[in-house]
Amino acid sequence: MTPLITLKGVNKHYGDYHALRDIDLEIGEGEFFSLLGPSGCGKTTLLRTIAGFESVSNGLVTIGGKDMAGVPANLRPTNMVFQSYAIFPHLSVAENVAFGLRKRSDLDTKAKQTLVEDALDMVGLDGYGKRAAHALSGGQRQRVALARALILKPKVLLLDEPLSALDKKMREQMQVELMRLQRHVGITFILVTHDQEEALVMSDRIAVMFEGRIGQLADAETLYRRPRNRQVADFIGKMNFLDVVVRSSNDPVDLEISGLGRVTISPDQVPEPVTIGKAIVGIRPETLSLLFDGETTDLRLIDGVVDEVVYYGDMTYYDVRVQGVEKPLNIAMKNVIGRPVLDVGAATRVVWDERSLVLLN
Amino acid sequence: MWRRLTATEGGQGLLMVSPPLIYALALLAVPLGAILLFSFWTQDFMAVDTTFTLNNYREIAEKPIYGALLQRSLFVAGCVTIVTVIVAFPVAYFVSFHVRPERKSLWLFLITIPFWTSYLIRVFLWKVILGYNGVINTGLINLGLIEEPLTFILYNVNAVIITLAHAFAPFAILPIFVALEKIDRSLLEASQDLGESKFMTFLRVTLPLSMPGVVAAVLIVFIPTIGDYVTPELMGGAGGKLIANMIQTQFLALNNAPLGAALAIVAMLSVSAISLVFVLLNRRWLKGRS
């Protein structure tokens, strides 16, 4: 990976508020990178620092090897899609898209027109050029914002929660389109989002941020399967947490899980070093299952009682109380043919496997 | 009848608007009608001759003094409008963009302070500032910058323009301020992000988007200044009198109410025509902007 953007020891203070704390980051050329985190974690501030709308209190930001200190937003090789899309209401769609081309003296009006048409074509808005910008729907505005940014062929496209204003169907459609677009133009995309699913679906790598710090930087699968700490595990997807006593932290790692008993796991399931003594393990709901009548398994079994049933149509989520486990286990079951939906209070057996555990501090 | 009025929604609406409607009819439409009627009559020494005639309008068209006064009025109102809007814009811009949100209402409050004193007193104040022995002249003489008091700053058109521009400044600041407040700040960032400097962003985004406020300011200042009577009377001297002063002279000093009425109608029609042209031009130009 050739790093295109490097951040070294970046800090940002707003008065007493410490918005970014010692951010070190390298983002590669052609990468789809996401900044993920709850609101107020500093992800938008970080994006705006790269765009040049915020200066850094200390630290270094380089783009394409050039120090960006003192370089204003209009001179940076970045373009942004704003959360509100920021479509100029006094201009037509074509004029919006052509906004950044004014300084391109090497192009005549005809060439600019062709570029605008190509850009609109790329985002699926061919023929919309003459429309007034204020007459567009949310999804169309987003496309105009994309065309307006991409027409300038930036090295980096910054996307600030671009899908948050769209409804669910539209959002899913735009996710796929953004991925396709990124592959098509081949430039670096940096996406800011608070939606973990969005980040997992679209990104090559994700930085999960909490309180101005990067909690974990990894690809989607690592982030989901091997979260570094409880905070990340809790933020990404659903996770059951169980108390555990670590007997041995060598290979194999020897654990005593409250309610489930003694197991050994591989060091690969321990993302961060742990010490002998108390710790927690995480288990994803979809790695647990219930054993229905007539089904058999080679995996471990434990008795439980159904505490809560949440029916989603394709899935049913059960909370199952197991003796010795503090909180009911959250279990996701696919509603395949012949499988009944259990009632609250029903006795059941939980299938589990130590290979799906992840040991956390 | 009463029950039927209160029963339907339309009837209730009618009841609600009728007091202001009666008020408007009695105090606006009736006097306006009277003026219009008068303008077709003639003054016959002490009595008014009520035969219908266009003599007054003929006289206004034929005697150059009226046309000249009307022209001067339009010119002064135009100057006042331009000066006021040019001065008001930076003030509105400053309050909208550089004053912290929690301080904005305080600033607007401060801008309206001149209204705490009467218009007449404010005009007199400008006399004190601009006069032969006024603040400006004494100040400049004491500083040794001039030897004799400047005379071009009082009792002429300049003085009228300065005074009116000051008096109408808040009327221009407020609509421009509102228009600037409505501009989504992310649009300015988007413009910079797309490569434009702060100055070009102002020209390409802020200014066009603030045009509705500027148009409102122009109309609010232009229309009343044409008919202003007090300021030219006090500040204009002999060369700074405007159409309103002539109307007053016709009605009172010359006891020719019909001619005064005709002048008033002509002045009103000119203002309406110019304002309409302005509004229509802006409609075309500002198509789709708001």
Side-chain angles (χ1 to χ4, degrees), chain A residues 48 51 53 73-76 78-82 84-91 95-96 98-103 132 134 148-149 152 158, chain B residues 182-201 203-210 285-290:
Chain A
R48 292 171 58 83
F53 294 125
N74 55 328
L75 301 179
R76 294 197 182 192
T78 59
N79 283 116
M80 186 141 158
V81 173
F82 290 81
S84 62
Y85 308 140
I87 303 297
F88 302 115
H90 57 301
L91 302 178
E95 285 167 330
N96 261 284
F99 192 90
L101 292 179
R102 186 186 65 87
K103 284 194 186 157
H134 58 82
R148 187 176 71 178
L152 301 175
L158 307 170
Chain B
K182 271 171 50 183
I183 297 175
D184 180 0
R185 299 306 192 253
S186 67
L187 294 176
L188 310 181
E189 286 191 339
S191 167
Q192 284 171 49
D193 186 67
L194 294 166
E196 293 296 9
S197 62
K198 289 204 163 145
F199 179 67
M200 281 309 294
T201 296
L203 288 186
R204 292 189 73 189
V205 182
T206 316
L207 195 58
L209 286 175
S210 66
W285 188 49
L286 295 174
K287 217 185 207 170
R289 300 178 189 181
S290 59

